[in-house]
Amino acid sequence: MINKIPPKKSLGQNFLIDENIISRIVRSASLTKDDTVVEIGPGQGALTRELTEKAGSVIAIELDERLAARLSETLSGPANLQVVSGDALTFPYESLPGKFKVVANLPYYISTPIITRLLKARDKISSMILMLQKEVAARLTASPGGRDYGYMSVMVQFHAEAGMLFLVPKQAFTPVPKVDSAVVRLDLRDVPEGVSDPVFFEKVVGASFSKKRKMLKNSLKNSDVIPPDRFDFLMERFFASGIDPSRRAETLSLSEFVLMTKILFENRGL
Ligand code: SAM
């Protein structure tokens, strides 16, 4: 029996056992037979079975070789399932032929690096349904001004429309984890107008949040997104554009970060 493989805590192995939650996650992806799904961390296949029934094809990437080897066998080898025994952080998503959807109950110990990696492959992805630790889900979907809003909120919302779908209690898993979970939906969208260099945008957001709860002007001073000799001029430009540099990064909306990036990009001192 599959349960004979003891779970590895170090790989974030908390397996879903609640059939209602499993169906709800899969339903949230609105799959058709035209869809290719990439599942990260299929584990014992709790989601995988239903994904193969609803989608055209499923690529399931599992780091634990014991589970990867078992997966096709456990699910009695659906023809549209490809199990990849490997690391989701280094998988070459860009080389997949068409667009795909991501559905995953992520390993929580690396959920942020995985999301960051997936956003790099954004052109290949149409949507993601992700189960995350509740606090991380709250951060990804937070609005400006709240205590959950930060660097990851801005970066994720730059690439995708992010929505909280539902909470999942600890009891839906075995072994029972220490934290509660939540499922989010990310619909990838066009890069906001006015940003000609997304990497520069990332740098501006990173510099803005580099000093916790400090005024924007203090976080940006001596950062590599502002030429020192233009600092005062640029702070005035921000002010004139409706962004008071005495505000904290935590209060800025996505469109204000976009505007700030545009001003800095035009004055980046090349
Ligand atoms: N999808 C299953 C479920 O819902 O029951 C398992 C989810 S469990 C939270 C996370 C899974 O991700 C585990 O099977 C774990 O082995 C796998 N995993 C951990 N790190 C990984 C990585 N870097 N790449 C791919 N899979 C990974």
Side-chain angles (χ1 to χ4, degrees):
M1 275 301 289
I2 48 173
N3 280 338
K4 283 196 186 133
I5 298 181
K8 274 192 190 164
K9 228 176 166 181
S10 62
L11 290 183
Q13 291 179 357
N14 298 96
F15 301 113
L16 263 173
I17 48 168
D18 184 321
E19 291 296 333
N20 286 329
I21 301 284
I22 292 169
S23 292
R24 228 172 142 189
I25 292 174
V26 176
R27 263 204 318 275
S28 303
S30 317
L31 297 172
T32 72
K33 285 288 169 190
D34 290 332
D35 287 316
T36 297
V37 170
V38 169
E39 186 191 3
I40 292 169
Q44 298 178 336
L47 293 166
T48 321
R49 181 190 304 278
E50 225 171 298
L51 291 174
T52 58
E53 285 164 10
K54 301 275 158 45
S57 61
V58 177
I59 300 163
I61 310 163
E62 174 55 60
L63 184 60
D64 188 334
E65 287 170 9
R66 307 167 308 163
L67 295 173
R70 252 327 153 79
L71 194 59
S72 301
E73 192 190 313
T74 319
L75 301 182
S76 50
N80 61 349
L81 172 65
Q82 182 194 342
V83 179
V84 176
S85 181
D87 188 344
L89 282 172
T90 54
F91 182 80
Y93 301 97
E94 289 82 356
S95 65
L96 293 178
K99 279 214 173 199
F100 58 89
K101 292 180 174 177
V102 176
V103 180
N105 170 14
L106 286 179
Y108 294 173
Y109 75 107
I110 44 163
S111 56
T112 303
I114 288 186
I115 292 168
T116 305
R117 170 69 188 96
L118 289 169
L119 290 177
K120 292 223 155 47
R122 51 155 296 145
D123 292 345
K124 302 301 297 249
I125 303 174
S126 52
S127 66
M128 306 195 217
I129 301 293
L130 304 176
M131 170 115 74
L132 300 157
Q133 183 175 333
K134 191 173 84 180
E135 290 74 14
V136 177
R139 256 181 261 146
L140 302 193
T141 56
S143 306
R147 78 189 158 99
D148 295 322
Y149 188 74
Y151 175 80
M152 271 314 273
S153 327
V154 180
M155 286 319 301
V156 164
Q157 293 171 34
F158 174 75
H159 292 288
E161 203 170 308
M164 178 77 88
L165 294 185
F166 52 91
L167 301 180
V168 179
K170 300 181 179 74
Q171 293 70 27
F173 304 85
T174 183
V176 177
K178 288 203 177 73
V179 294
D180 285 317
S181 300
V183 178
V184 300
R185 181 180 176 105
L186 306 182
D187 285 306
L188 278 293
R189 59 177 170 206
D190 293 340
V191 165
E193 249 175 71
V195 177
S196 36
D197 182 354
V199 176
F200 189 70
F201 177 84
E202 199 175 323
K203 280 189 182 169
V204 172
V205 179
S208 305
F209 282 106
S210 60
K211 298 198 178 119
K212 253 193 169 315
R213 279 179 256 291
K214 285 270 188 295
M215 287 185 225
L216 210 49
K217 59 182 172 193
N218 293 333
S219 300
L220 292 176
K221 199 157 196 146
N222 303 320
S223 73
D224 63 355
V225 294
I226 296 202
D229 58 333
R230 291 191 206 171
F231 185 79
D232 293 337
F233 165 74
L234 284 165
M235 292 306 108
E236 278 166 30
R237 283 286 315 274
F238 285 176
F239 197 84
S241 310
I243 302 170
D244 182 345
S246 302
R247 283 168 62 189
R248 292 184 291 121
E250 290 85 347
T251 69
L252 263 64
S253 67
L254 176 63
S255 52
E256 287 175 317
F257 276 110
V258 168
L259 177 58
M260 217 167 75
T261 303
K262 196 163 176 271
I263 295 169
L264 292 176
F265 193 76
E266 288 162 1
N267 290 276
R268 66 197 184 286
L270 289 178

